[in-house]
Amino acid sequence: MTETARTDDREELADYVDVWWQAVNGFLDLLEQLPEEEWATPTDLAGWDVKACAAHTAHLESILTGAPEETAEVGEPPHVTGLMGLYTEIGVVNRRDASADAIINELREAATKRHTALLADPPTDGDAKPEHIFGGVPWSTRTLLRNRPLDVWMHEQDVRRAVGRPGNMDSPPAKHTAEYLAEGLGYVLAKKVGAPVGTSVVLDLAGSPPFAFEIDDNGRGQRVSPPAEPTLTLHLDRESFIRLAGGRCAAEPGKVTVDGDQELGARVLASLATTP
């Protein structure tokens, strides 16, 4: 690896650490405002209330500091699908009897410990294996650091929608999450929708540059410069996009506009979710 590549890695990874830290503090600020009775409010995530979102986040951040993996009798909850779903349920089950203050304190202490370590010894190789990882997922350091702001901020928004306290939609974690999810549009177009070769889509996402993808000769959705006459253009505000791409809930009426192939547009919007 060249010195330029190492420098680029360090800067990229440092940016991910910074935006994750902002996401953590935004989530903590919100949780601290909620009376304990609101922690039982259901969210858009099936089977999860506000407390579950906070517990899950505290669980993962604790594991990432080097805490031992937890075990729990999860059973077979109807809302859980797949092994990762069973894993994430462990943190929720193990904190069912914990108070709101206890979960907030665990999240704050774990994240602060991890943030301090990342500043003291900044990661320099995005392709390296992380020192600590949850559930044995085969992620690189880059993937882990890039995913954490998304996960934390998305759960903050889950809680905000549940308790009717919208906000923090123009922050760096919000922009990071929206643009990270937007990169999945090529996969949606190619694999989930099965669009034919030559099909192009432009995502006009408020607050971000346009994202354009085209199905190449191998049937893959490749990112391209926005074509003059795309097959489809989707116009969405940031909140509507993260609701759909995050697999949460429908956008509010009138918030999504489709230009071009209307039938294809409906199929893409129905398939937009790329995260459970």
Side-chain angles (χ1 to χ4, degrees):
M1 183 183 291
T2 65
E3 184 60 37
T4 298
R6 284 195 294 269
T7 300
D8 289 346
D9 258 16
R10 283 196 293 267
E11 292 176 352
E12 177 190 7
L13 301 177
D15 286 345
Y16 294 153
V17 170
D18 181 61
V19 76
W20 158 76
W21 184 238
Q22 292 182 59
V24 167
N25 282 293
F27 197 14
L28 285 169
D29 287 346
L30 172 63
L31 294 174
E32 288 174 334
Q33 297 172 29
L34 303 182
E36 188 137 9
E37 58 267 22
E38 288 194 346
W39 282 57
T41 307
T43 70
D44 294 325
L45 297 172
W48 276 21
D49 55 13
V50 167
K51 186 174 186 178
C53 289
H56 158 71
T57 307
H59 171 217
L60 294 196
E61 291 298 339
S62 292
I63 296 300
L64 291 173
T65 68
E69 285 284 8
E70 301 176 13
T71 59
E73 288 296 327
V74 173
E76 298 181 359
H79 62 276
V80 173
T81 59
L83 292 177
M84 197 59 194
L86 289 171
Y87 177 83
T88 56
E89 204 70 15
I90 290 172
V92 176
V93 170
N94 284 343
R95 289 159 182 79
R96 278 181 180 155
D97 295 330
S99 67
D101 280 348
I103 293 173
I104 289 171
N105 288 336
E106 180 187 5
L107 175 55
R108 179 184 291 108
E109 290 169 9
T112 299
K113 179 179 179 181
R114 183 163 168 252
H115 186 237
T116 300
L118 288 167
L119 293 183
D121 185 17
T124 59
D125 182 358
D127 296 328
K129 183 178 179 180
E131 181 180 3
H132 304 293
I133 193 70
F134 41 77
V137 294
W139 287 353
S140 66
T141 293
R142 177 181 291 104
T143 300
L144 172 64
L145 294 180
R146 199 177 184 210
N147 270 272
R148 291 312 300 146
L150 180 150
D151 189 51
V152 174
W153 183 83
M154 286 293 285
H155 287 311
E156 177 202 324
Q157 293 301 312
D158 293 331
V159 171
R160 286 188 177 279
R161 286 192 302 276
V163 300
R165 299 189 186 209
N168 203 21
M169 194 58 65
D170 296 322
S171 63
K175 187 174 189 291
H176 169 89
T177 299
E179 294 182 358
Y180 195 177
L181 290 173
E183 293 179 7
L185 185 55
Y187 169 80
V188 170
L189 189 66
K191 300 301 182 183
K192 299 185 73 175
V193 173
V197 172
T199 301
S200 57
V201 58
V202 173
L203 172 63
D204 175 24
L205 179 60
S208 297
F211 285 76
F213 295 86
E214 184 172 290
I215 304 299
D216 66 15
D217 291 340
N218 295 314
R220 299 189 181 94
Q222 299 288 356
R223 190 165 182 185
V224 296
S225 298
E229 297 184 5
T231 310
L232 171 69
T233 301
L234 303 175
H235 306 273
L236 297 94
D237 63 281
R238 183 173 287 161
E239 181 174 8
S240 298
F241 179 70
I242 65 101
R243 285 187 182 198
L244 295 170
R248 263 49 179 189
C249 57
E252 293 182 3
K255 294 289 189 178
V256 180
T257 303
V258 177
D259 292 335
D261 189 326
Q262 297 295 304
E263 188 272 336
L264 176 63
R267 290 166 58 205
V268 170
L269 290 171
S271 305
L272 206 54
T274 53
T275 181

